Amino acid sequence: MIKALIFDFDGVLGSSDIPRFRSLKYAAADVGIDLPNDSIQIMRGRTTLEFLEIVLSKTQKKKMDQIINIHTRNFRNKIDDLVEPIDTTVSFIKHYSGSKKLALATMSGREPIDKLLTKFGIQDKFRTIVCKEDVAKRKPDPEVYLKAIDELGIQAKDSIVIEDTRLGAEAAILSGAKCYILLNGLNDKSDFNRMNISGFISSQKDLELIG
């Protein structure tokens, strides 16, 4: 029996990927580095530091601190103005009155998450919120989901994780939870070929069927 729904944040509750990438692209350009537009796919599901470690050359990495500092001024400090809610999931959570426990498990920092959940009006809807400060390992390691499951006091098999990236889905599946993918316009069912995905979500009605 499913007892909990566990949500990722980026790409599931908030549309942060595009504004975050634009900010990083601007910051990189400011120090003479061009980030290809298609590298947004590498960024999705990863922290900013992980993304830059992958896409920057050894020489370019010498300017990583500058890029992060510019990005922090332009994005992180204005995150509550730049990131908009994803209506499919946020509306569902805001009006949810079912019996399942709701949780949030994200590799984003607690401070921006608190700001955004307050802005979206769903801060008090979650039984537990696990952020990057609460874990030592990053996705696709399942630690963030295992911690949320433990704090909910349930077994992994009794939970559904809602994700949007392959990295996140790997983490969810490794935790032992069932994984559903929110189709948000930046992903496609084919991105999850040969993965043990339990289903796809494209509307609030789809969420209501599992909630």
Side-chain angles (χ1 to χ4, degrees):
M1 176 187 293
I2 299 301
K3 298 178 181 178
L5 303 178
I6 306 174
F7 295 83
D8 178 37
F9 184 86
D10 294 324
V12 174
L13 301 185
S15 56
S16 54
D17 285 328
I18 292 175
R20 180 162 70 110
F21 181 74
R22 286 174 178 165
S23 173
L24 284 167
K25 186 174 177 67
Y26 171 86
D30 207 43
V31 296
I33 297 171
D34 177 51
L35 293 180
N37 289 332
D38 59 1
S39 64
I40 188 174
Q41 297 301 331
I42 298 173
M43 185 197 73
R44 297 184 66 243
R46 292 185 168 91
T47 66
T48 295
L49 184 59
E50 288 171 335
F51 167 64
L52 293 176
E53 287 282 0
I54 293 171
V55 299
L56 297 182
S57 68
K58 185 176 181 180
T59 301
Q60 290 172 336
K61 286 176 183 175
K62 295 176 182 178
K63 297 182 178 180
M64 188 182 297
D65 286 345
Q66 292 174 262
I67 294 171
I68 291 175
N69 287 338
I70 296 168
H71 169 64
T72 297
R73 291 198 304 270
N74 294 334
F75 180 71
R76 292 186 191 172
N77 293 341
K78 302 174 183 176
I79 193 167
D80 48 337
D81 294 324
L82 296 172
V83 177
E84 295 299 323
I86 295 175
D87 290 337
T88 299
T89 46
V90 170
S91 180
F92 169 80
I93 292 169
K94 187 177 292 186
H95 299 101
Y96 185 72
S97 60
S99 61
K100 295 180 178 63
K101 300 175 182 179
L102 304 184
L104 175 62
T106 174
M107 297 313 301
S108 295
R110 186 165 294 276
E111 182 180 355
I113 287 297
D114 284 345
K115 287 182 179 179
L116 289 167
L117 293 180
T118 299
K119 172 186 174 181
F120 296 171
I122 56 174
Q123 176 72 32
D124 299 327
K125 298 294 287 189
F126 300 102
R127 294 288 186 94
T128 189
I129 297 173
V130 181
C131 297
K132 71 175 182 180
E133 295 92 340
D134 303 314
V135 296
K137 299 175 182 178
R138 308 299 190 210
K139 298 174 185 178
D141 189 278
E143 184 182 9
V144 69
Y145 287 121
L146 290 172
K147 186 171 180 62
I149 289 164
D150 181 63
E151 292 186 359
L152 289 171
I154 61 173
Q155 296 184 56
K157 66 181 179 63
D158 295 328
S159 62
I160 287 175
V161 168
I162 298 167
E163 264 286 355
D164 70 307
T165 67
R166 191 175 181 91
L167 276 177
E170 288 178 21
I173 292 167
L174 285 171
S175 77
K178 295 176 175 60
C179 182
Y180 281 71
I181 299 298
L182 178 72
L183 298 174
N184 57 17
L186 293 175
N187 57 8
D188 186 86
K189 289 183 180 180
S190 63
D191 297 337
F192 305 91
N193 286 344
R194 296 182 296 279
M195 295 188 75
N196 188 24
I197 301 300
S198 296
F200 293 89
I201 296 166
S202 57
S203 68
Q204 191 170 324
K205 184 176 180 180
D206 292 336
L207 271 172
E208 291 167 356
L209 289 173
I210 64 173

PDB file of all heavy atoms in Angstrom, residues 170-198:
ATOM      1  N   GLU A 170      17.153   7.432 -11.185  1.00  0.00           N
ATOM      2  CA  GLU A 170      18.078   6.392 -10.728  1.00  0.00           C
ATOM      3  C   GLU A 170      18.132   6.364  -9.207  1.00  0.00           C
ATOM      4  O   GLU A 170      18.107   5.292  -8.590  1.00  0.00           O
ATOM      5  CB  GLU A 170      19.473   6.636 -11.303  1.00  0.00           C
ATOM      6  CG  GLU A 170      19.598   6.348 -12.789  1.00  0.00           C
ATOM      7  CD  GLU A 170      20.992   6.660 -13.314  1.00  0.00           C
ATOM      8  OE1 GLU A 170      21.943   6.710 -12.509  1.00  0.00           O
ATOM      9  OE2 GLU A 170      21.131   6.867 -14.526  1.00  0.00           O
ATOM     10  N   ALA A 171      18.217   7.544  -8.595  1.00  0.00           N
ATOM     11  CA  ALA A 171      18.266   7.636  -7.133  1.00  0.00           C
ATOM     12  C   ALA A 171      16.990   7.081  -6.510  1.00  0.00           C
ATOM     13  O   ALA A 171      17.040   6.335  -5.519  1.00  0.00           O
ATOM     14  CB  ALA A 171      18.483   9.083  -6.707  1.00  0.00           C
ATOM     15  N   ALA A 172      15.856   7.446  -7.080  1.00  0.00           N
ATOM     16  CA  ALA A 172      14.568   6.979  -6.550  1.00  0.00           C
ATOM     17  C   ALA A 172      14.457   5.458  -6.638  1.00  0.00           C
ATOM     18  O   ALA A 172      14.062   4.796  -5.673  1.00  0.00           O
ATOM     19  CB  ALA A 172      13.429   7.639  -7.315  1.00  0.00           C
ATOM     20  N   ILE A 173      14.809   4.904  -7.778  1.00  0.00           N
ATOM     21  CA  ILE A 173      14.697   3.456  -7.979  1.00  0.00           C
ATOM     22  C   ILE A 173      15.658   2.713  -7.055  1.00  0.00           C
ATOM     23  O   ILE A 173      15.307   1.688  -6.452  1.00  0.00           O
ATOM     24  CB  ILE A 173      14.944   3.109  -9.457  1.00  0.00           C
ATOM     25  CG1 ILE A 173      13.791   3.657 -10.320  1.00  0.00           C
ATOM     26  CG2 ILE A 173      15.075   1.597  -9.649  1.00  0.00           C
ATOM     27  CD1 ILE A 173      14.073   3.650 -11.801  1.00  0.00           C
ATOM     28  N   LEU A 174      16.871   3.232  -6.882  1.00  0.00           N
ATOM     29  CA  LEU A 174      17.846   2.599  -5.990  1.00  0.00           C
ATOM     30  C   LEU A 174      17.394   2.624  -4.533  1.00  0.00           C
ATOM     31  O   LEU A 174      17.775   1.762  -3.742  1.00  0.00           O
ATOM     32  CB  LEU A 174      19.206   3.297  -6.119  1.00  0.00           C
ATOM     33  CG  LEU A 174      20.008   2.988  -7.385  1.00  0.00           C
ATOM     34  CD1 LEU A 174      21.213   3.912  -7.479  1.00  0.00           C
ATOM     35  CD2 LEU A 174      20.453   1.534  -7.399  1.00  0.00           C
ATOM     36  N   SER A 175      16.555   3.598  -4.195  1.00  0.00           N
ATOM     37  CA  SER A 175      16.046   3.672  -2.819  1.00  0.00           C
ATOM     38  C   SER A 175      15.028   2.575  -2.528  1.00  0.00           C
ATOM     39  O   SER A 175      14.734   2.292  -1.367  1.00  0.00           O
ATOM     40  CB  SER A 175      15.395   5.040  -2.563  1.00  0.00           C
ATOM     41  OG  SER A 175      14.101   5.111  -3.158  1.00  0.00           O
ATOM     42  N   GLY A 176      14.488   1.985  -3.575  1.00  0.00           N
ATOM     43  CA  GLY A 176      13.461   0.958  -3.415  1.00  0.00           C
ATOM     44  C   GLY A 176      12.048   1.484  -3.579  1.00  0.00           C
ATOM     45  O   GLY A 176      11.081   0.723  -3.493  1.00  0.00           O
ATOM     46  N   ALA A 177      11.922   2.797  -3.824  1.00  0.00           N
ATOM     47  CA  ALA A 177      10.599   3.402  -4.028  1.00  0.00           C
ATOM     48  C   ALA A 177      10.142   3.205  -5.472  1.00  0.00           C
ATOM     49  O   ALA A 177      10.948   2.922  -6.362  1.00  0.00           O
ATOM     50  CB  ALA A 177      10.657   4.883  -3.704  1.00  0.00           C
ATOM     51  N   LYS A 178       8.860   3.384  -5.699  1.00  0.00           N
ATOM     52  CA  LYS A 178       8.338   3.438  -7.060  1.00  0.00           C
ATOM     53  C   LYS A 178       8.609   4.841  -7.598  1.00  0.00           C
ATOM     54  O   LYS A 178       8.544   5.821  -6.850  1.00  0.00           O
ATOM     55  CB  LYS A 178       6.840   3.136  -7.079  1.00  0.00           C
ATOM     56  CG  LYS A 178       6.497   1.722  -6.637  1.00  0.00           C
ATOM     57  CD  LYS A 178       5.003   1.503  -6.589  1.00  0.00           C
ATOM     58  CE  LYS A 178       4.667   0.058  -6.260  1.00  0.00           C
ATOM     59  NZ  LYS A 178       5.199  -0.359  -4.942  1.00  0.00           N
ATOM     60  N   CYS A 179       8.910   4.945  -8.868  1.00  0.00           N
ATOM     61  CA  CYS A 179       9.255   6.243  -9.441  1.00  0.00           C
ATOM     62  C   CYS A 179       8.322   6.607 -10.588  1.00  0.00           C
ATOM     63  O   CYS A 179       8.168   5.839 -11.545  1.00  0.00           O
ATOM     64  CB  CYS A 179      10.700   6.242  -9.936  1.00  0.00           C
ATOM     65  SG  CYS A 179      11.236   7.844 -10.604  1.00  0.00           S
ATOM     66  N   TYR A 180       7.714   7.779 -10.479  1.00  0.00           N
ATOM     67  CA  TYR A 180       6.913   8.359 -11.551  1.00  0.00           C
ATOM     68  C   TYR A 180       7.636   9.595 -12.072  1.00  0.00           C
ATOM     69  O   TYR A 180       8.282  10.317 -11.308  1.00  0.00           O
ATOM     70  CB  TYR A 180       5.526   8.759 -11.046  1.00  0.00           C
ATOM     71  CG  TYR A 180       4.557   7.613 -10.908  1.00  0.00           C
ATOM     72  CD1 TYR A 180       4.714   6.652  -9.909  1.00  0.00           C
ATOM     73  CD2 TYR A 180       3.484   7.475 -11.778  1.00  0.00           C
ATOM     74  CE1 TYR A 180       3.831   5.595  -9.780  1.00  0.00           C
ATOM     75  CE2 TYR A 180       2.587   6.415 -11.657  1.00  0.00           C
ATOM     76  CZ  TYR A 180       2.768   5.483 -10.650  1.00  0.00           C
ATOM     77  OH  TYR A 180       1.882   4.437 -10.536  1.00  0.00           O
ATOM     78  N   ILE A 181       7.519   9.842 -13.360  1.00  0.00           N
ATOM     79  CA  ILE A 181       8.201  10.968 -13.994  1.00  0.00           C
ATOM     80  C   ILE A 181       7.200  12.046 -14.384  1.00  0.00           C
ATOM     81  O   ILE A 181       6.212  11.774 -15.081  1.00  0.00           O
ATOM     82  CB  ILE A 181       8.956  10.517 -15.266  1.00  0.00           C
ATOM     83  CG1 ILE A 181      10.015   9.466 -14.907  1.00  0.00           C
ATOM     84  CG2 ILE A 181       9.588  11.712 -15.968  1.00  0.00           C
ATOM     85  CD1 ILE A 181      11.092   9.945 -13.958  1.00  0.00           C
ATOM     86  N   LEU A 182       7.446  13.264 -13.917  1.00  0.00           N
ATOM     87  CA  LEU A 182       6.653  14.407 -14.363  1.00  0.00           C
ATOM     88  C   LEU A 182       7.187  14.882 -15.704  1.00  0.00           C
ATOM     89  O   LEU A 182       8.366  15.231 -15.826  1.00  0.00           O
ATOM     90  CB  LEU A 182       6.737  15.553 -13.346  1.00  0.00           C
ATOM     91  CG  LEU A 182       5.971  16.816 -13.764  1.00  0.00           C
ATOM     92  CD1 LEU A 182       4.464  16.600 -13.656  1.00  0.00           C
ATOM     93  CD2 LEU A 182       6.397  18.025 -12.934  1.00  0.00           C
ATOM     94  N   LEU A 183       6.341  14.889 -16.711  1.00  0.00           N
ATOM     95  CA  LEU A 183       6.721  15.400 -18.033  1.00  0.00           C
ATOM     96  C   LEU A 183       6.501  16.907 -18.020  1.00  0.00           C
ATOM     97  O   LEU A 183       5.364  17.380 -17.968  1.00  0.00           O
ATOM     98  CB  LEU A 183       5.895  14.716 -19.113  1.00  0.00           C
ATOM     99  CG  LEU A 183       6.089  13.191 -19.203  1.00  0.00           C
ATOM    100  CD1 LEU A 183       5.128  12.578 -20.211  1.00  0.00           C
ATOM    101  CD2 LEU A 183       7.537  12.852 -19.561  1.00  0.00           C
ATOM    102  N   ASN A 184       7.608  17.665 -18.031  1.00  0.00           N
ATOM    103  CA  ASN A 184       7.530  19.107 -17.793  1.00  0.00           C
ATOM    104  C   ASN A 184       7.920  19.968 -18.995  1.00  0.00           C
ATOM    105  O   ASN A 184       8.076  21.184 -18.869  1.00  0.00           O
ATOM    106  CB  ASN A 184       8.418  19.480 -16.596  1.00  0.00           C
ATOM    107  CG  ASN A 184       9.867  19.058 -16.799  1.00  0.00           C
ATOM    108  OD1 ASN A 184      10.296  18.772 -17.915  1.00  0.00           O
ATOM    109  ND2 ASN A 184      10.621  19.013 -15.715  1.00  0.00           N
ATOM    110  N   GLY A 185       8.077  19.342 -20.153  1.00  0.00           N
ATOM    111  CA  GLY A 185       8.442  20.099 -21.343  1.00  0.00           C
ATOM    112  C   GLY A 185       9.936  20.107 -21.622  1.00  0.00           C
ATOM    113  O   GLY A 185      10.364  20.444 -22.728  1.00  0.00           O
ATOM    114  N   LEU A 186      10.737  19.737 -20.622  1.00  0.00           N
ATOM    115  CA  LEU A 186      12.189  19.660 -20.799  1.00  0.00           C
ATOM    116  C   LEU A 186      12.661  18.210 -20.886  1.00  0.00           C
ATOM    117  O   LEU A 186      13.837  17.952 -21.109  1.00  0.00           O
ATOM    118  CB  LEU A 186      12.910  20.357 -19.644  1.00  0.00           C
ATOM    119  CG  LEU A 186      12.743  21.880 -19.558  1.00  0.00           C
ATOM    120  CD1 LEU A 186      13.418  22.412 -18.300  1.00  0.00           C
ATOM    121  CD2 LEU A 186      13.315  22.555 -20.794  1.00  0.00           C
ATOM    122  N   ASN A 187      11.739  17.277 -20.688  1.00  0.00           N
ATOM    123  CA  ASN A 187      12.093  15.863 -20.764  1.00  0.00           C
ATOM    124  C   ASN A 187      11.125  15.134 -21.680  1.00  0.00           C
ATOM    125  O   ASN A 187      10.169  15.720 -22.209  1.00  0.00           O
ATOM    126  CB  ASN A 187      12.117  15.234 -19.365  1.00  0.00           C
ATOM    127  CG  ASN A 187      10.786  15.398 -18.632  1.00  0.00           C
ATOM    128  OD1 ASN A 187       9.790  15.843 -19.193  1.00  0.00           O
ATOM    129  ND2 ASN A 187      10.766  15.044 -17.353  1.00  0.00           N
ATOM    130  N   ASP A 188      11.365  13.855 -21.862  1.00  0.00           N
ATOM    131  CA  ASP A 188      10.552  13.048 -22.770  1.00  0.00           C
ATOM    132  C   ASP A 188      10.574  11.608 -22.264  1.00  0.00           C
ATOM    133  O   ASP A 188      11.534  11.192 -21.603  1.00  0.00           O
ATOM    134  CB  ASP A 188      11.154  13.117 -24.189  1.00  0.00           C
ATOM    135  CG  ASP A 188      10.283  12.413 -25.200  1.00  0.00           C
ATOM    136  OD1 ASP A 188       9.352  13.033 -25.729  1.00  0.00           O
ATOM    137  OD2 ASP A 188      10.552  11.217 -25.464  1.00  0.00           O
ATOM    138  N   LYS A 189       9.535  10.867 -22.548  1.00  0.00           N
ATOM    139  CA  LYS A 189       9.481   9.476 -22.097  1.00  0.00           C
ATOM    140  C   LYS A 189      10.708   8.681 -22.550  1.00  0.00           C
ATOM    141  O   LYS A 189      11.197   7.810 -21.825  1.00  0.00           O
ATOM    142  CB  LYS A 189       8.211   8.804 -22.621  1.00  0.00           C
ATOM    143  CG  LYS A 189       6.934   9.285 -21.957  1.00  0.00           C
ATOM    144  CD  LYS A 189       5.720   8.537 -22.477  1.00  0.00           C
ATOM    145  CE  LYS A 189       4.430   9.018 -21.810  1.00  0.00           C
ATOM    146  NZ  LYS A 189       3.242   8.288 -22.306  1.00  0.00           N
ATOM    147  N   SER A 190      11.214   9.013 -23.737  1.00  0.00           N
ATOM    148  CA  SER A 190      12.363   8.272 -24.265  1.00  0.00           C
ATOM    149  C   SER A 190      13.627   8.485 -23.437  1.00  0.00           C
ATOM    150  O   SER A 190      14.562   7.689 -23.510  1.00  0.00           O
ATOM    151  CB  SER A 190      12.630   8.672 -25.716  1.00  0.00           C
ATOM    152  OG  SER A 190      12.971  10.048 -25.808  1.00  0.00           O
ATOM    153  N   ASP A 191      13.676   9.559 -22.633  1.00  0.00           N
ATOM    154  CA  ASP A 191      14.833   9.803 -21.767  1.00  0.00           C
ATOM    155  C   ASP A 191      14.985   8.705 -20.721  1.00  0.00           C
ATOM    156  O   ASP A 191      16.059   8.565 -20.114  1.00  0.00           O
ATOM    157  CB  ASP A 191      14.702  11.145 -21.033  1.00  0.00           C
ATOM    158  CG  ASP A 191      14.679  12.338 -21.966  1.00  0.00           C
ATOM    159  OD1 ASP A 191      15.184  12.218 -23.097  1.00  0.00           O
ATOM    160  OD2 ASP A 191      14.150  13.392 -21.559  1.00  0.00           O
ATOM    161  N   PHE A 192      13.911   7.950 -20.493  1.00  0.00           N
ATOM    162  CA  PHE A 192      13.900   6.979 -19.407  1.00  0.00           C
ATOM    163  C   PHE A 192      13.789   5.543 -19.911  1.00  0.00           C
ATOM    164  O   PHE A 192      13.378   4.644 -19.180  1.00  0.00           O
ATOM    165  CB  PHE A 192      12.753   7.311 -18.436  1.00  0.00           C
ATOM    166  CG  PHE A 192      12.827   8.724 -17.934  1.00  0.00           C
ATOM    167  CD1 PHE A 192      12.167   9.749 -18.623  1.00  0.00           C
ATOM    168  CD2 PHE A 192      13.584   9.042 -16.826  1.00  0.00           C
ATOM    169  CE1 PHE A 192      12.258  11.068 -18.183  1.00  0.00           C
ATOM    170  CE2 PHE A 192      13.683  10.357 -16.390  1.00  0.00           C
ATOM    171  CZ  PHE A 192      13.023  11.369 -17.062  1.00  0.00           C
ATOM    172  N   ASN A 193      14.182   5.359 -21.173  1.00  0.00           N
ATOM    173  CA  ASN A 193      14.189   4.014 -21.744  1.00  0.00           C
ATOM    174  C   ASN A 193      15.054   3.083 -20.904  1.00  0.00           C
ATOM    175  O   ASN A 193      16.099   3.480 -20.382  1.00  0.00           O
ATOM    176  CB  ASN A 193      14.728   4.041 -23.182  1.00  0.00           C
ATOM    177  CG  ASN A 193      13.719   4.635 -24.148  1.00  0.00           C
ATOM    178  OD1 ASN A 193      12.536   4.762 -23.840  1.00  0.00           O
ATOM    179  ND2 ASN A 193      14.185   5.010 -25.333  1.00  0.00           N
ATOM    180  N   ARG A 194      14.595   1.844 -20.773  1.00  0.00           N
ATOM    181  CA  ARG A 194      15.313   0.793 -20.049  1.00  0.00           C
ATOM    182  C   ARG A 194      15.459   1.102 -18.555  1.00  0.00           C
ATOM    183  O   ARG A 194      16.363   0.614 -17.893  1.00  0.00           O
ATOM    184  CB  ARG A 194      16.684   0.525 -20.692  1.00  0.00           C
ATOM    185  CG  ARG A 194      16.583  -0.024 -22.121  1.00  0.00           C
ATOM    186  CD  ARG A 194      17.929  -0.336 -22.712  1.00  0.00           C
ATOM    187  NE  ARG A 194      18.738   0.860 -22.872  1.00  0.00           N
ATOM    188  CZ  ARG A 194      18.612   1.716 -23.885  1.00  0.00           C
ATOM    189  NH1 ARG A 194      17.713   1.494 -24.843  1.00  0.00           N
ATOM    190  NH2 ARG A 194      19.381   2.775 -23.979  1.00  0.00           N
ATOM    191  N   MET A 195      14.577   1.945 -18.050  1.00  0.00           N
ATOM    192  CA  MET A 195      14.537   2.195 -16.610  1.00  0.00           C
ATOM    193  C   MET A 195      13.223   1.677 -16.053  1.00  0.00           C
ATOM    194  O   MET A 195      12.205   1.659 -16.758  1.00  0.00           O
ATOM    195  CB  MET A 195      14.675   3.703 -16.298  1.00  0.00           C
ATOM    196  CG  MET A 195      16.008   4.299 -16.680  1.00  0.00           C
ATOM    197  SD  MET A 195      16.170   6.000 -16.067  1.00  0.00           S
ATOM    198  CE  MET A 195      16.446   5.677 -14.309  1.00  0.00           C
ATOM    199  N   ASN A 196      13.235   1.263 -14.808  1.00  0.00           N
ATOM    200  CA  ASN A 196      12.041   0.680 -14.184  1.00  0.00           C
ATOM    201  C   ASN A 196      11.121   1.789 -13.660  1.00  0.00           C
ATOM    202  O   ASN A 196      10.918   1.938 -12.461  1.00  0.00           O
ATOM    203  CB  ASN A 196      12.451  -0.261 -13.053  1.00  0.00           C
ATOM    204  CG  ASN A 196      11.274  -1.041 -12.497  1.00  0.00           C
ATOM    205  OD1 ASN A 196      10.266  -1.241 -13.177  1.00  0.00           O
ATOM    206  ND2 ASN A 196      11.383  -1.467 -11.252  1.00  0.00           N
ATOM    207  N   ILE A 197      10.570   2.553 -14.599  1.00  0.00           N
ATOM    208  CA  ILE A 197       9.671   3.661 -14.264  1.00  0.00           C
ATOM    209  C   ILE A 197       8.256   3.114 -14.075  1.00  0.00           C
ATOM    210  O   ILE A 197       7.774   2.316 -14.884  1.00  0.00           O
ATOM    211  CB  ILE A 197       9.689   4.735 -15.370  1.00  0.00           C
ATOM    212  CG1 ILE A 197      11.105   5.282 -15.564  1.00  0.00           C
ATOM    213  CG2 ILE A 197       8.705   5.847 -15.064  1.00  0.00           C
ATOM    214  CD1 ILE A 197      11.699   5.925 -14.335  1.00  0.00           C
ATOM    215  N   SER A 198       7.580   3.559 -13.016  1.00  0.00           N
ATOM    216  CA  SER A 198       6.235   3.055 -12.730  1.00  0.00           C
ATOM    217  C   SER A 198       5.154   3.775 -13.512  1.00  0.00           C
ATOM    218  O   SER A 198       4.050   3.249 -13.677  1.00  0.00           O
ATOM    219  CB  SER A 198       5.947   3.168 -11.232  1.00  0.00           C
ATOM    220  OG  SER A 198       6.821   2.341 -10.494  1.00  0.00           O
TER     221      SER A 198
END
